Amino acid sequence: MMERRRMDVALLMLVLGHLAAALEVPLDLPQPPTITHQSPQDYIIDPRENIIIHCEAKGNPHPSFSWTRNGTHFDVDEDPNVTMKPNSGTLVVDINRVKAEQYECVYQCTARNSHGTAVSNNIVVRQSRSPLWSKQKIKPIVIQEGVSLVLPCRPPAGLPPPIIFWMDNYFQKLPQSSRVSQSLNGDLYFSNVLREDSRNDYICYARFPYTQTIQQKQPISVKVLNMDAINDTMAAFYNDTDLFREDPADERKPTFLIPSGPFSSKTVLRGQVLEMECIAEGLPTPEISWTKVSGDLPTKRTSFLHHQRALRIVNVSESDAGDYRCVARNQMGMVHHTIHITVKAAPYWITGPPRNLVLAPGENGVLTCRASGTPKPSITWAMNGIPIENSPQDPSRKVEDDTIIFADVQIGSSAVYQCNVSNNYGYLMSNAFINVLSEPPRVLTASNKVYQVIKNHRALIDCSSFGSPIPEITWFKETRTSTLDGYPYIIHDNGTLVIDGAQANNSGKYTCVATNIFGIYENHVYLEVKESTRIVKQPEYKEVRRGRSAVFECKVIHDPSLIPTMTWLKDGGELPDDERLIVDSDSLTITDVTESDAGVYTCIMNTTLDQDSASAELTVVERPDPPTDLELTDQKKKSVQLTWTPGDEHNSPIQKFLIQYEDSLHHRNQWHNLTEVSGTKTTAHLKLSPYVHYTFRVVAINAFGFSNPSSPSRLFKTEAAAPDENPTGVHGFGTEHDNLVISWKPLSALQSNGPGLHYKVMWRQKSVDSDWTTVTVANKSKFVVSGTPTFVPYELKVQAVNDHGAGPEPAIAHGYSGEDLPLAAPEHVQAIVLNSTVTEVHWDPLPSKFIRGHLKGYKVYYWRERSLHKHNPHHAEKQILTFSGNHSRGILPGLHPFSAYLFNVRVFNGKGEGPPSPTRQFETPEGVPGAPTSLIVTELNLDSLTLEWNPPHAHNGRITGYTLRYQPVNNSNELGPVEEVELPANETSFILSNLKYSTRYKFYLNAKTIRGAGPAISQEAVTIVDEAVASRQVDIATQGWFIGLMCAIALLILILLIICFIQRNKGGKYPVKEKEDAHTDPEFQPMKDDDCTFGEYSDNEDHKPLKGSRTPSSGTVKRDDSDDSLVDYGEGGDGQFNEDGSFIGQYSGKSASRDTAEGHESSEAPSPTNAMNSLNSFV
């Protein structure tokens, strides 16, 4: 026996391969029937519609169908109300002539062909029922406040059970809470009742889902009274009400209304939903909590219903069995209840139902029907619908409990086997056939199919095949050189090729080859690896004010061969159909945003292969709504408590509340700010003033601005009282030398505290033992005291008084009577010369008794009397420097050197200036002189010229001499060495010799005093040309060798011009102009066409070289923009040379007479000799 068992196990191991793969037999091959669709085992129908009992099957040949009803054969042809669909086993029952309840039976379908018989489950057909509520009169309920109450629903039994809910007459759901909740059976429980629970429309509704009908129970009326009210109305309600208890409802510890007692138990089936509930009464309302005594609650499958009153666990398993405890507690105590849960199980598959077997003759196989349940189910087998023990014997078949083993099967072994697993809580029934075939392999996957996969994702390439025996699958890529085996390739038993993390190099052609003993079949498919779709710019959180626009961006990159589709969602659903929502290719724009637009927006980019998504939230913000429900409490004489209810803050927290008031007694329609409180508060204690008619309003403030003001509060009047403050800003001053003006800031109407406001004004002279002088004034803010001494200190007081009394004792202020002009001048005035332009003045401060007012400062009047150089008076205007405050010295800047000045000092107060001090004199020392006023060049010769100048206009001292510096300038504007000549002070001209002919020179001349040299004036000139040298140059130019050289050069130039002309005609370009520009001396300036002169020479800086200076043969010197040019110091235009080289024109810095005779200019062009002179440069 043991040896046989080992053989069976070995045989079982041999055929385990057939357990792993359930083959789909092509319909063109012979095969037993297979049930493909059937109605559910518990089939509830709508009695208003025809009954359709489904039974569909496939097979080859196509199966025929028959039915049993309640275990006996059901002849469909004999029932005129029942028809069977063609090529199908589905029954259609026409209920137009019969009632549906006649067909409430147990049905079973059979599908058979020549290879076997398959049967369906037992189908129990029941019609849905929604019975009416029985009519009954429900008495009103009168109940004492604080006690518990249960309103029963008890709907009629329906199939399936109805859904229960409570509503009022207006079809509005009744509010539920931890105090009021609905139980699982539909009753409404009150842990304790309150006065507001009184109503006459507690209505229980039952909705029957199959017929979609709703049944309504009669309304229940509940009236909640306190004990005194119950005693007063007992007689009126005694005959037609139910009266609950008469004892007072005190606070009490919880007790359970359901379930009763400390323990209960419940049985639930595996896979179903477990619901437990605990509802307790008590005062205050108890809170319910749940625990599992023997472990933890399965958090992912657990939820709480009806405000923690019910515990639900879905998809129950055996691990959920055990004890559960609910605890009800309030401040008076606690109570608990334990529920023991037992989990049973209807039969369920362990490894799935048996799978069809396709075997070749001589092969082995196994059918397994492995199931479990609690209690353990029994397993029975049938073949072609007949219990297997009553079926024909088959030597290749052996049945062992939940397994049928086939060994060395033959063609006639094909059949359908039924496995039935059952226990007390249900059953499982499954069909599985064995089909014995001899078939060569075939690949069922379409040829040349293209698979697409995203890079780095798993690629699955199908090779669905069929053959008997089962074909062996091998894979090749591109060529059949080597099979695909090992990483990253995985080949499943069903032939599917898996590539983990596909890359671009995995793209290409793949070949699947199926092989068995009857042949070979190959199939080609293709794989394309695509780039992933990624959102590179995600939408971002937006906080937008109402009425503005919000833009969410969603930019994506994707494989160019895939067509993306962008979809936007709002809160997980479709976007509202609103024209304000504009969807572009990469953005969503919401215009004119409203509160309803707030939510989470998600952009989803889909392709045929993948998708990416990103979300962002839109928060709509706005100024807060105005507060409401203003109420005044805790009213006192000078204070009141203001409370309010905040308005909607529109997603932006309220930062503060501004409380404003209107005084309708003094300033009607004028609102004033009173105080501010934090945005977290809804009450404020307001300090008030007497004799004001207050109306309050509140403004809420958040980050986006002020709300509209709330509606005004009711009027609140405060009683009149004596002033509690006096005027501020009390000042005393004089407008005349013999008066005192007392002024103050009057009290506002709010500060007056009562009617009849006036002021008591008091004053007395300070430091003098005198009494206060008092006057009373009204409707004024100043009072003038006449006949006072000049500038005397006073003590002042102003007190507020009204019809209810005087204000507090006022503080003493100080002031002075009027000022007068100072009586004396400062003494000991002297000057200290600091340098040639700055002097310091000193004086003694004036005693206060002579100032006769508030000292404002001192003024120094000073003026230049004369220059020490010319000794003639200088009529300069007086200058004034003011030194504020109590100074005793001051600095006088910006003086002229070498000059005599006069000055005096005066004191001034608020009234004006006093008399001047005696006038004093000081002299400033010498300074450096100014530049000579002019410098001109005359009498130009071959090697000499004459310089003439005028002394400086500002000597600033005694001129001790002049310094002359000069230097040559060559044709490149480079400066030569500097020569320097010292000249005496009495000279205004100088002949400069030993110069080079035809050379430009630049001259600098400055004057000197004992303090040093002053600024220089500059000028330039050119010596004339040596005629002897010019004649020698002409002689050279007439020599034969020179003429021959010039002719050769001219010929060469002509040849070059001809070549250039030919090249140009051929289309080439000869950039003569560009080459000339590139090689031109940057310092060289071309001659001007209008006056035949060269470019201008700029002398903006003394040591800056000449730019572009050239001297034409005519000797013309062109004026430039420099202030030092020769023409600027004369009156005429361009200077000219005579034939002997002398310069025409008088040079002078100022207007002076000069000869107007003009020289004769030659109209001839410049000679070659003069042109050669321009090549000379200084040595």
PDB file of all heavy atoms in Angstrom, residues 595-616:
ATOM      1  N   GLU A 595     -15.488  81.558  -5.517  1.00  0.00           N
ATOM      2  CA  GLU A 595     -15.208  80.601  -4.444  1.00  0.00           C
ATOM      3  C   GLU A 595     -15.397  79.164  -4.898  1.00  0.00           C
ATOM      4  O   GLU A 595     -14.713  78.257  -4.435  1.00  0.00           O
ATOM      5  CB  GLU A 595     -16.101  80.877  -3.227  1.00  0.00           C
ATOM      6  CG  GLU A 595     -15.668  82.028  -2.362  1.00  0.00           C
ATOM      7  CD  GLU A 595     -16.177  83.363  -2.884  1.00  0.00           C
ATOM      8  OE1 GLU A 595     -16.757  83.390  -4.002  1.00  0.00           O
ATOM      9  OE2 GLU A 595     -15.989  84.392  -2.192  1.00  0.00           O
ATOM     10  N   SER A 596     -16.324  78.940  -5.829  1.00  0.00           N
ATOM     11  CA  SER A 596     -16.579  77.575  -6.281  1.00  0.00           C
ATOM     12  C   SER A 596     -15.413  77.003  -7.081  1.00  0.00           C
ATOM     13  O   SER A 596     -15.351  75.797  -7.292  1.00  0.00           O
ATOM     14  CB  SER A 596     -17.847  77.543  -7.135  1.00  0.00           C
ATOM     15  OG  SER A 596     -17.683  78.337  -8.305  1.00  0.00           O
ATOM     16  N   ASP A 597     -14.497  77.844  -7.512  1.00  0.00           N
ATOM     17  CA  ASP A 597     -13.335  77.361  -8.271  1.00  0.00           C
ATOM     18  C   ASP A 597     -12.256  76.783  -7.367  1.00  0.00           C
ATOM     19  O   ASP A 597     -11.304  76.190  -7.868  1.00  0.00           O
ATOM     20  CB  ASP A 597     -12.741  78.495  -9.109  1.00  0.00           C
ATOM     21  CG  ASP A 597     -13.705  78.993 -10.170  1.00  0.00           C
ATOM     22  OD1 ASP A 597     -14.426  78.152 -10.727  1.00  0.00           O
ATOM     23  OD2 ASP A 597     -13.740  80.210 -10.431  1.00  0.00           O
ATOM     24  N   ALA A 598     -12.346  76.983  -6.068  1.00  0.00           N
ATOM     25  CA  ALA A 598     -11.324  76.465  -5.159  1.00  0.00           C
ATOM     26  C   ALA A 598     -11.305  74.936  -5.229  1.00  0.00           C
ATOM     27  O   ALA A 598     -12.341  74.293  -5.365  1.00  0.00           O
ATOM     28  CB  ALA A 598     -11.588  76.935  -3.738  1.00  0.00           C
ATOM     29  N   GLY A 599     -10.119  74.368  -5.142  1.00  0.00           N
ATOM     30  CA  GLY A 599      -9.990  72.918  -5.158  1.00  0.00           C
ATOM     31  C   GLY A 599      -8.632  72.500  -5.670  1.00  0.00           C
ATOM     32  O   GLY A 599      -7.725  73.317  -5.855  1.00  0.00           O
ATOM     33  N   VAL A 600      -8.496  71.200  -5.906  1.00  0.00           N
ATOM     34  CA  VAL A 600      -7.247  70.627  -6.398  1.00  0.00           C
ATOM     35  C   VAL A 600      -7.402  70.347  -7.883  1.00  0.00           C
ATOM     36  O   VAL A 600      -8.318  69.623  -8.302  1.00  0.00           O
ATOM     37  CB  VAL A 600      -6.890  69.329  -5.647  1.00  0.00           C
ATOM     38  CG1 VAL A 600      -5.630  68.704  -6.229  1.00  0.00           C
ATOM     39  CG2 VAL A 600      -6.685  69.622  -4.157  1.00  0.00           C
ATOM     40  N   TYR A 601      -6.507  70.949  -8.670  1.00  0.00           N
ATOM     41  CA  TYR A 601      -6.530  70.771 -10.125  1.00  0.00           C
ATOM     42  C   TYR A 601      -5.380  69.836 -10.518  1.00  0.00           C
ATOM     43  O   TYR A 601      -4.245  70.025 -10.071  1.00  0.00           O
ATOM     44  CB  TYR A 601      -6.407  72.118 -10.831  1.00  0.00           C
ATOM     45  CG  TYR A 601      -7.655  72.970 -10.694  1.00  0.00           C
ATOM     46  CD1 TYR A 601      -7.860  73.745  -9.559  1.00  0.00           C
ATOM     47  CD2 TYR A 601      -8.632  72.965 -11.673  1.00  0.00           C
ATOM     48  CE1 TYR A 601      -9.012  74.501  -9.415  1.00  0.00           C
ATOM     49  CE2 TYR A 601      -9.787  73.720 -11.546  1.00  0.00           C
ATOM     50  CZ  TYR A 601      -9.969  74.493 -10.408  1.00  0.00           C
ATOM     51  OH  TYR A 601     -11.110  75.235 -10.265  1.00  0.00           O
ATOM     52  N   THR A 602      -5.709  68.871 -11.340  1.00  0.00           N
ATOM     53  CA  THR A 602      -4.737  67.859 -11.752  1.00  0.00           C
ATOM     54  C   THR A 602      -4.644  67.847 -13.266  1.00  0.00           C
ATOM     55  O   THR A 602      -5.675  67.773 -13.956  1.00  0.00           O
ATOM     56  CB  THR A 602      -5.143  66.465 -11.250  1.00  0.00           C
ATOM     57  OG1 THR A 602      -5.288  66.501  -9.826  1.00  0.00           O
ATOM     58  CG2 THR A 602      -4.098  65.432 -11.639  1.00  0.00           C
ATOM     59  N   CYS A 603      -3.423  67.959 -13.760  1.00  0.00           N
ATOM     60  CA  CYS A 603      -3.221  67.795 -15.205  1.00  0.00           C
ATOM     61  C   CYS A 603      -2.678  66.385 -15.425  1.00  0.00           C
ATOM     62  O   CYS A 603      -1.740  65.956 -14.750  1.00  0.00           O
ATOM     63  CB  CYS A 603      -2.299  68.861 -15.779  1.00  0.00           C
ATOM     64  SG  CYS A 603      -0.545  68.584 -15.586  1.00  0.00           S
ATOM     65  N   ILE A 604      -3.316  65.680 -16.354  1.00  0.00           N
ATOM     66  CA  ILE A 604      -2.926  64.312 -16.698  1.00  0.00           C
ATOM     67  C   ILE A 604      -2.541  64.298 -18.171  1.00  0.00           C
ATOM     68  O   ILE A 604      -3.340  64.665 -19.032  1.00  0.00           O
ATOM     69  CB  ILE A 604      -4.071  63.317 -16.435  1.00  0.00           C
ATOM     70  CG1 ILE A 604      -4.510  63.393 -14.972  1.00  0.00           C
ATOM     71  CG2 ILE A 604      -3.643  61.899 -16.802  1.00  0.00           C
ATOM     72  CD1 ILE A 604      -5.710  62.523 -14.662  1.00  0.00           C
ATOM     73  N   MET A 605      -1.310  63.898 -18.434  1.00  0.00           N
ATOM     74  CA  MET A 605      -0.846  63.777 -19.817  1.00  0.00           C
ATOM     75  C   MET A 605      -0.803  62.296 -20.171  1.00  0.00           C
ATOM     76  O   MET A 605      -0.004  61.540 -19.594  1.00  0.00           O
ATOM     77  CB  MET A 605       0.528  64.418 -19.973  1.00  0.00           C
ATOM     78  CG  MET A 605       1.050  64.400 -21.395  1.00  0.00           C
ATOM     79  SD  MET A 605      -0.015  65.246 -22.572  1.00  0.00           S
ATOM     80  CE  MET A 605       0.260  66.952 -22.107  1.00  0.00           C
ATOM     81  N   ASN A 606      -1.673  61.897 -21.085  1.00  0.00           N
ATOM     82  CA  ASN A 606      -1.806  60.495 -21.480  1.00  0.00           C
ATOM     83  C   ASN A 606      -1.217  60.274 -22.866  1.00  0.00           C
ATOM     84  O   ASN A 606      -1.384  61.116 -23.758  1.00  0.00           O
ATOM     85  CB  ASN A 606      -3.279  60.085 -21.512  1.00  0.00           C
ATOM     86  CG  ASN A 606      -3.863  59.910 -20.132  1.00  0.00           C
ATOM     87  OD1 ASN A 606      -3.493  59.011 -19.403  1.00  0.00           O
ATOM     88  ND2 ASN A 606      -4.785  60.798 -19.768  1.00  0.00           N
ATOM     89  N   THR A 607      -0.540  59.162 -23.025  1.00  0.00           N
ATOM     90  CA  THR A 607      -0.251  58.624 -24.347  1.00  0.00           C
ATOM     91  C   THR A 607      -0.832  57.219 -24.381  1.00  0.00           C
ATOM     92  O   THR A 607      -1.424  56.754 -23.406  1.00  0.00           O
ATOM     93  CB  THR A 607       1.258  58.592 -24.630  1.00  0.00           C
ATOM     94  OG1 THR A 607       1.881  57.652 -23.738  1.00  0.00           O
ATOM     95  CG2 THR A 607       1.887  59.969 -24.438  1.00  0.00           C
ATOM     96  N   THR A 608      -0.667  56.538 -25.494  1.00  0.00           N
ATOM     97  CA  THR A 608      -1.188  55.175 -25.583  1.00  0.00           C
ATOM     98  C   THR A 608      -0.437  54.220 -24.679  1.00  0.00           C
ATOM     99  O   THR A 608      -0.913  53.113 -24.413  1.00  0.00           O
ATOM    100  CB  THR A 608      -1.104  54.684 -27.041  1.00  0.00           C
ATOM    101  OG1 THR A 608       0.246  54.842 -27.492  1.00  0.00           O
ATOM    102  CG2 THR A 608      -2.031  55.495 -27.930  1.00  0.00           C
ATOM    103  N   LEU A 609       0.745  54.638 -24.172  1.00  0.00           N
ATOM    104  CA  LEU A 609       1.567  53.732 -23.380  1.00  0.00           C
ATOM    105  C   LEU A 609       1.684  54.133 -21.920  1.00  0.00           C
ATOM    106  O   LEU A 609       1.824  53.276 -21.046  1.00  0.00           O
ATOM    107  CB  LEU A 609       2.983  53.647 -23.979  1.00  0.00           C
ATOM    108  CG  LEU A 609       3.098  53.054 -25.379  1.00  0.00           C
ATOM    109  CD1 LEU A 609       4.545  53.003 -25.796  1.00  0.00           C
ATOM    110  CD2 LEU A 609       2.469  51.675 -25.441  1.00  0.00           C
ATOM    111  N   ASP A 610       1.701  55.406 -21.635  1.00  0.00           N
ATOM    112  CA  ASP A 610       1.921  55.812 -20.246  1.00  0.00           C
ATOM    113  C   ASP A 610       1.242  57.138 -19.999  1.00  0.00           C
ATOM    114  O   ASP A 610       0.607  57.718 -20.889  1.00  0.00           O
ATOM    115  CB  ASP A 610       3.425  55.893 -19.927  1.00  0.00           C
ATOM    116  CG  ASP A 610       4.108  57.035 -20.662  1.00  0.00           C
ATOM    117  OD1 ASP A 610       3.554  57.498 -21.694  1.00  0.00           O
ATOM    118  OD2 ASP A 610       5.180  57.468 -20.228  1.00  0.00           O
ATOM    119  N   GLN A 611       1.426  57.629 -18.796  1.00  0.00           N
ATOM    120  CA  GLN A 611       0.871  58.916 -18.426  1.00  0.00           C
ATOM    121  C   GLN A 611       1.682  59.492 -17.283  1.00  0.00           C
ATOM    122  O   GLN A 611       2.428  58.781 -16.594  1.00  0.00           O
ATOM    123  CB  GLN A 611      -0.595  58.811 -18.012  1.00  0.00           C
ATOM    124  CG  GLN A 611      -0.809  58.142 -16.653  1.00  0.00           C
ATOM    125  CD  GLN A 611      -2.243  58.272 -16.165  1.00  0.00           C
ATOM    126  OE1 GLN A 611      -3.165  58.266 -16.941  1.00  0.00           O
ATOM    127  NE2 GLN A 611      -2.417  58.383 -14.872  1.00  0.00           N
ATOM    128  N   ASP A 612       1.560  60.787 -17.119  1.00  0.00           N
ATOM    129  CA  ASP A 612       2.140  61.472 -15.958  1.00  0.00           C
ATOM    130  C   ASP A 612       1.118  62.494 -15.494  1.00  0.00           C
ATOM    131  O   ASP A 612       0.337  63.028 -16.298  1.00  0.00           O
ATOM    132  CB  ASP A 612       3.462  62.150 -16.323  1.00  0.00           C
ATOM    133  CG  ASP A 612       4.274  62.523 -15.079  1.00  0.00           C
ATOM    134  OD1 ASP A 612       3.894  62.094 -13.974  1.00  0.00           O
ATOM    135  OD2 ASP A 612       5.288  63.239 -15.219  1.00  0.00           O
ATOM    136  N   SER A 613       1.113  62.758 -14.214  1.00  0.00           N
ATOM    137  CA  SER A 613       0.130  63.694 -13.678  1.00  0.00           C
ATOM    138  C   SER A 613       0.775  64.522 -12.579  1.00  0.00           C
ATOM    139  O   SER A 613       1.765  64.120 -11.972  1.00  0.00           O
ATOM    140  CB  SER A 613      -1.100  62.951 -13.132  1.00  0.00           C
ATOM    141  OG  SER A 613      -0.734  62.131 -12.033  1.00  0.00           O
ATOM    142  N   ALA A 614       0.215  65.675 -12.366  1.00  0.00           N
ATOM    143  CA  ALA A 614       0.661  66.573 -11.305  1.00  0.00           C
ATOM    144  C   ALA A 614      -0.534  67.404 -10.866  1.00  0.00           C
ATOM    145  O   ALA A 614      -1.407  67.733 -11.680  1.00  0.00           O
ATOM    146  CB  ALA A 614       1.808  67.475 -11.781  1.00  0.00           C
ATOM    147  N   SER A 615      -0.539  67.744  -9.604  1.00  0.00           N
ATOM    148  CA  SER A 615      -1.685  68.461  -9.029  1.00  0.00           C
ATOM    149  C   SER A 615      -1.219  69.699  -8.301  1.00  0.00           C
ATOM    150  O   SER A 615      -0.074  69.787  -7.835  1.00  0.00           O
ATOM    151  CB  SER A 615      -2.464  67.553  -8.066  1.00  0.00           C
ATOM    152  OG  SER A 615      -2.953  66.406  -8.712  1.00  0.00           O
ATOM    153  N   ALA A 616      -2.107  70.656  -8.215  1.00  0.00           N
ATOM    154  CA  ALA A 616      -1.875  71.873  -7.447  1.00  0.00           C
ATOM    155  C   ALA A 616      -3.221  72.371  -6.954  1.00  0.00           C
ATOM    156  O   ALA A 616      -4.262  72.162  -7.583  1.00  0.00           O
ATOM    157  CB  ALA A 616      -1.170  72.947  -8.281  1.00  0.00           C
TER     158      ALA A 616
END
